[in-house]
Amino acid sequence: MKIDWAALASVFGVSLLVTVALVGLFTLGVIGLSKQEQAREARATGGGTATLPTQVGAYACFALCAAAVAYGIYLIVA
């Protein structure tokens, strides 16, 4: 049996890159929602502004994560 080390390294590199990107994207979504909670608390005490763009951005990050996972499942099943 002969192992194609270049192909193995390529798969490892792409997997590592996609994993880091997906975790980073999910983290941005969590940070966006936590900023929304902080703004809500600030408005309750008399300060702060509306954070609709932050909320939309956070949900967009989660949607992109879900799309990436769905695409990965599609690649495995197809």
Side-chain angles (χ1 to χ4, degrees), residues 5-6 11 18-19 23-24 27 31 39 45 51 57 59-60 63 67 75 78:
W5 292 102
V11 168
V18 169
T19 300
V23 168
T27 302
I31 288 172
T45 59
T51 60
Y59 287 124
L75 287 177

Side-chain angles (χ1 to χ4, degrees), residues 28-56:
L28 285 176
V30 170
I31 288 172
L33 289 182
S34 71
K35 296 284 185 190
Q36 175 193 5
E37 290 298 321
Q38 290 173 356
R40 183 178 295 143
E41 291 171 5
R43 281 194 308 271
T45 59
T49 60
T51 60
L52 183 62
T54 305
Q55 184 178 10
V56 169

